[in-house]
Amino acid sequence: MFKKVLIANRGEIAIRAMRACRELGVSTVAVYSEADKNALFAKYADEAYHIGPAPSSQSYLDMDKVLDVAIKTGADGIHPGYGFLSENSTFARKCEEAGIIFIGPTSKAIDQMGSKIAARNTMIEAGVPVVPGINEAISDVDKASEIAENIGFPVIIKASAGGGGIGMKIVHAKDEFKSSLTSIQSVAASAFGDPTVFIEKYVEEPRHIEFQILADKYGNTVYVMERECSIQRRHQKLIEEAPSPAITPELRKKMGETAVKAAKAIGYENAGTVEFLYSKGEFYFLEVNTRLQVEHTITEMITGIDLAKQQLHIACGEKLPFKQEDITHRGWAIECRINAEDPLNDFAPSPGKIKRYRSAGGPGIRVDSGVHMGYTISPYYDSMISKLCAWGADRDEAIARMRRALYEYVVVGVTTNIPFHKAVLRSEAFKEAKLTTHFIDDNNIIEEVKKVVEEETEKGITLASVLDTKEQKVAAATAAVSSYISAAQKQTK
Ligand code: ADP
């Protein structure tokens, strides 16, 4: 096992990785930017080093600064978390060259998945089904428009280097094609430094279903159940659940084995995720995420496998301690990403100081968070407050527990998307698991969010009850919080 691991990340995922280290008796090193000098993760670590100003390019993305701290502190491993340097093959290579173990796949495997076009081609060769589309970069607009017509509208134009839901555009008709192409090319050039784009058929009414993979250095690769992440805004996930209500045991086996095939095709090592689109009984490869996902928590809750600790074991060269047939699952888990963002203002980030904070708890609840009362959510990074997860013996119990936890959760000072989660969780469509990536629009969720906020405002309870733990009072406190938020919104309008 490692002696000392540097965590090249911030917030909740830095704490998640440190928790795994602490349980394994590994010491931890944090690196933090100026904006994070009072952040929980920096205090949680055994050692913490300031590496630069708030902008990520001068701190969390500065490979040499991060490596320098690792070398000076004698760290023998680096956990990259998600985002930042986690899928950067140059960084993985630099770690390899410095003799420090990058806790993730090899730089070669990351490289192979870095370009969506190259990934498509690798998967086609390996016999993994992909969405119908073109397998090369678009160079000639007229030719591309013709191909799009042959594939059949709607099509989706995607940046080959894209990620995080950025660099994608759905095109419904030929006359929109040229202008959409130019706009995505310029987005791709500015966001990813690479204007290369390609086209895929736009899969109608798709569900996003992904498989967790674990692979050791000896060719043992298993799938650890699936997650459904269909509830998205701007192609980014907001609510995930495991298992997927759309998956039968037979389909799980088929898709899981395909995911293993995809991972093996690139010589994948460590924890990763193979993402698929699923529609009308068919599934298509989307991409491999070469890191621990935000939503790994719900897989841990239903399988009892600690994925972060497995990452450390695998990276040190240990063999997977289980085979495919040993992996079982129990119950149902749901994750709501609690973000400081305003669902009633197109999910605009709402950074600021958290004046009051009371997390949810009780049976079946897991909260992974990097914030606390008095913490300031910085505009420099993502707006996540926490990952609120609920486990139940079945889906209905998981939903009931999540609804109860959302009513317990109190955040004052910043606008949150808690009313959004409440609106989704109480909707008939969610209860009936009628999920697609268009769920929010198809079910008028934003109108429902307005109702949630109004109902809670009407209760008009004072903020004093925030610190009372009785269930009714907690619900009342949540209402008070919402009324404060809506009053604040009115003031700013
Ligand atoms: P990123 O790398 O930016 O996360 P992905 O390729 O993983 O992009 O796609 C993110 C989301 O975009 C998917 O979960 C899905 O909602 C939507 N999407 C991507 N490709 C298609 C497609 N061909 N048809 C329909 N929806 C798509």
Side-chain angles (χ1 to χ4, degrees), residues 116 158 163-165 200-203 208 232 235 275 287 437:
K116 287 187 198 279
K158 283 190 182 180
E200 270 178 10
K201 170 88 190 141
Y202 183 70
V203 178
H208 175 118
Q232 308 179 341
H235 305 301
E275 295 188 337
E287 66 175 343
T437 57

Side-chain angles (χ1 to χ4, degrees), residues 263-285:
K264 287 198 164 183
I266 54 168
Y268 200 82
E269 263 174 39
N270 215 289
T273 297
V274 183
E275 295 188 337
F276 295 104
L277 281 181
Y278 174 79
S279 175
K280 299 172 186 138
E282 300 290 327
F283 62 91
Y284 310 95
F285 169 84

